[in-house]
Amino acid sequence: MLTGRARVLPALLCGGLMALGQAPWNLWYLALAGLVLSMALFSIQRGSRAALVVGWGMGTGYFGLALNWLTEPFQVDAAVTAWMAPFALVLMAAGLALFWALAFWGAAQAPRAKLFALVAAWALAELARGYLFTGFPWALVGYLWEPTQAIQWVGWTGSYGLTLVTLALAALLASALRGGWRSGAAGMMLLGGLLWGGAQMLPPLQDLDGRPVVRLVQPNAPQTQKWDRGFVPLFFDRQVEFTAAPAQDGLPRPELIVWPETAVPRLLENAEAELRVITDAALPGRVVLGIQRSEGYDYYNSLALVTQGPKVEAVYDKHHLVPFGEYMPFKELFRHINVSGIAARAEGGYSAGPGAQLVDLGGEIGFALPLICYEAVFPQDLRAAARPDLLLQITNDAWFGNFSGPYQHLAQARIRAIEQGLPLLRAANTGVSAVIDGAGRVLKALPLNEAGFIDAQLPPPLRVTLYSRTGDLPLLALLALLMVLAFVPHRRKTD
C-alpha cells in the first residue's frame, strides 16, 4: 500500500501518460492506458485524503505536460516576463488539478461502487472546468479520441459527454485488472463500439462542384516582430500580395478572403487607407479580417467584414476573453511586477463583446458564426440564436509557440466542426490555417510557420447534430442523476 508522498509519483506518471493522448503526440492508446491505471490507483487508496492526493497528482502531471505551451507567451517579451514562465505553468497545472482532486476526494466518500462514483464526479469536474471562473476546457479527457474516428461521437454527446463515456470505459477496464472479467468484457465491447461506431458515423466526402471559393491568408508574423514598426509594413504588404494573387488549382477568384486575428496594425476607425488597399486587392471578393477597434475608452479585439469603398459591412467583437492575456484581473495588484506586459497593448486590455452572433458573408457563402482565437475552445460559445452555414475562426497562434499549442488549438477546432456538423474556415497568423468539413476532416491546410495562402471550395453544412440542438444541459441532468445514485445511501426495507 502506497503511503504519504509515495502516492504522488505514480499519480504524476499516470497523469503524464494520459497527456500523451493530446496533440502533437496523439498516442491515444497510451493515454487510455494511463487513464485505466489512474482508475486502478484510485481503487487501492484508503480514505478520502489519500484519494485527494492521488487525484491532485494525476491532474498536475496531466496538465503540466499537456499545457506545456503556456510558457510560450512569456518568451515574447522575455526580458520582462520570461522568469514567470515556469511559475505560470506549475501554478496553472496545480490549480486545474484541484478540479480532479475534489472529484477523487468526493468519490472516495461514496458509500459503495467507488469507481462508479469517480466516473460521475470526474466527468462533473471536467464539465465544471469548462464553465467556472470563465472556463478553461483545454485538453479535456475525451479529446484523446481526436486522432481516431471515435471522435465522431461528439456530434451526439458533445465533448463533455464523450469524456463521461471515456471515463466509464476506463473504470470498466480498471475493474478487469482486479479480476472483474465481466467488467473487462463490457469494457472491450464499449471500446469496440466507440471505434466501430465512430467509423460508421463518418460521412463520405461531399461533392464540392459549384461551391463558392474561399481564400485563407497566412502571413507568418512571429509575435516578437508582429508589432515592430520595422516589420509591420512587411507583413501588411505580404497579406495584400496574397490577397491579390491569382487563384490556385484552376479555381475562380475567391468570393471571400480571410485574414487572421489582429491582421491590420491600426484601429478600425483609423484604417480607411489600409482597408481601401485591401478591398482593391480582393476584387471582386469580400474580406474578413482581424482588427482592433475602440469605442470611447473601451478597446475590442474584433473581426470586420469589408468590401469595396471601403465599406465595413459587419463587425464582431470577441466576447470570451483570455484572462491575463486580453484583460487583467486585479491589474493593479500585478502592475508593479509588470505582468501587464503580456496583456493586450491597449492599457487595461480589451472589453468583451455582447456574445455569439452571426455575420452574413453574402452570396452562396451564407451566415458565419465568428470565433476569435480562444473562443473555439468552448463548445458552449457556438450556441447562436440560429444555425449558421459555417464556422469562421481567425486566430494568432504565434502566442502558443511551435510545438504543442498550435496543434492542440487546431484539434479543438476540428472537434467544434464535428459537434456542430458545420464546415470551419481557420485563418491563423503563423498557422495552422485550414479548411475543415463538418466531419472534422482537414481538406486543405498551410503548415505551421509558413507564409502563403490557400484557395478551396467551401464544403456545405452536414445535417444538424444532436449536440448542436441540446448543448450540455442533458449531460448535466444525467450527471446529477449519477451523483445521486452514487452518493445517496439506499434505504433497506424492514419488516
Side-chain angles (χ1 to χ4, degrees), residues 57-98:
M58 288 174 188
T60 301
Y62 179 78
F63 294 115
L65 181 56
L67 304 182
N68 64 81
W69 54 267
L70 280 173
T71 61
E72 295 292 342
F74 296 90
Q75 310 306 319
V76 174
D77 189 6
V80 175
T81 59
W83 66 271
M84 290 184 286
F87 298 100
L89 178 58
V90 171
L91 289 174
M92 186 68 166
L96 291 174
L98 292 175

Side-chain angles (χ1 to χ4, degrees), residues 311-328:
K311 180 181 178 182
V312 179
E313 295 199 347
V315 173
Y316 165 76
D317 298 321
K318 184 176 182 181
H319 71 277
H320 208 140
L321 303 177
V322 182
F324 300 102
E326 292 179 311
Y327 74 97
M328 291 297 299

Side-chain angles (χ1 to χ4, degrees), residues 217-243 259-265 274 277-278 290 396 398 428-430 449-452:
V217 171
Q218 182 170 300
N220 192 33
Q223 197 59 38
T224 53
Q225 300 174 357
K226 183 174 172 61
W227 299 110
D228 187 314
R229 292 184 180 181
F231 287 95
V232 162
L234 169 67
F235 298 131
F236 179 79
D237 292 344
R238 181 181 292 174
Q239 291 175 106
V240 171
E241 178 187 347
F242 292 158
T243 299
W259 287 27
E261 180 184 14
T262 57
V264 179
E274 287 82 2
V277 171
I278 294 167
N396 177 22
N429 170 30
T430 55
N449 298 325
E450 180 178 310

Side-chain angles (χ1 to χ4, degrees), residues 40 72 85-86 108 178-179 234 251 256-257 274 291 293 305-306 329 370 420 440 442 449 466 494:
E72 295 292 342
R178 304 188 69 183
L234 169 67
L251 295 171
L256 179 72
I257 299 169
E274 287 82 2
I291 192 168
R293 73 179 191 90
L305 171 65
V306 295
Q420 300 295 321
V442 177
N449 298 325
L466 178 63
T494 57

Side-chain angles (χ1 to χ4, degrees), residues 24-44:
W25 306 284
N26 293 326
L27 302 173
W28 67 271
Y29 42 89
L30 291 184
L32 182 58
L35 187 54
V36 172
L37 292 174
S38 297
M39 292 280 188
L41 186 58
F42 164 79
S43 68
I44 63 174

Side-chain angles (χ1 to χ4, degrees), residues 24-230:
W25 306 284
N26 293 326
L27 302 173
W28 67 271
Y29 42 89
L30 291 184
L32 182 58
L35 187 54
V36 172
L37 292 174
S38 297
M39 292 280 188
L41 186 58
F42 164 79
S43 68
I44 63 174
Q45 303 305 311
R46 293 180 180 175
S48 56
R49 182 176 178 180
L52 182 145
V53 170
V54 166
W56 180 82
M58 288 174 188
T60 301
Y62 179 78
F63 294 115
L65 181 56
L67 304 182
N68 64 81
W69 54 267
L70 280 173
T71 61
E72 295 292 342
F74 296 90
Q75 310 306 319
V76 174
D77 189 6
V80 175
T81 59
W83 66 271
M84 290 184 286
F87 298 100
L89 178 58
V90 171
L91 289 174
M92 186 68 166
L96 291 174
L98 292 175
F99 284 97
W100 291 15
L102 289 173
F104 276 60
W105 173 81
Q109 301 185 65
R112 63 193 175 278
K114 295 187 187 306
L115 273 180
F116 174 85
L118 180 60
V119 169
W122 200 343
L124 185 60
E126 286 291 84
L127 182 63
R129 181 163 70 87
Y131 281 87
L132 297 182
F133 313 117
T134 78
F136 190 68
W138 198 288
L140 290 173
V141 170
Y143 290 169
L144 69 86
W145 303 109
E146 188 266 336
T148 77
Q149 292 178 344
I151 199 63
Q152 296 297 321
W153 283 101
V154 297
W156 291 81
T157 66
S159 295
Y160 301 111
L162 185 58
T163 291
L164 172 63
V165 175
T166 305
L167 293 169
L169 168 62
L172 289 170
L173 296 179
S175 180
L177 294 178
R178 304 188 69 183
W181 67 269
R182 289 186 179 86
S183 296
M188 294 308 295
M189 291 177 63
L190 179 55
L191 175 59
L194 281 170
L195 295 171
W196 181 84
Q200 304 314 302
M201 293 179 194
L202 185 67
L205 285 169
Q206 297 160 291
D207 182 8
L208 301 182
D209 187 39
R211 293 291 298 166
V213 177
V214 296
R215 173 173 294 179
L216 306 181
V217 171
Q218 182 170 300
N220 192 33
Q223 197 59 38
T224 53
Q225 300 174 357
K226 183 174 172 61
W227 299 110
D228 187 314
R229 292 184 180 181

Side-chain angles (χ1 to χ4, degrees), residues 439-465:
R441 286 176 291 228
V442 177
L443 303 182
K444 209 165 186 181
L446 270 170
L448 191 64
N449 298 325
E450 180 178 310
F453 67 93
I454 51 176
D455 289 344
Q457 291 174 288
L458 176 67
L462 295 177
R463 62 184 180 184
V464 179
T465 65

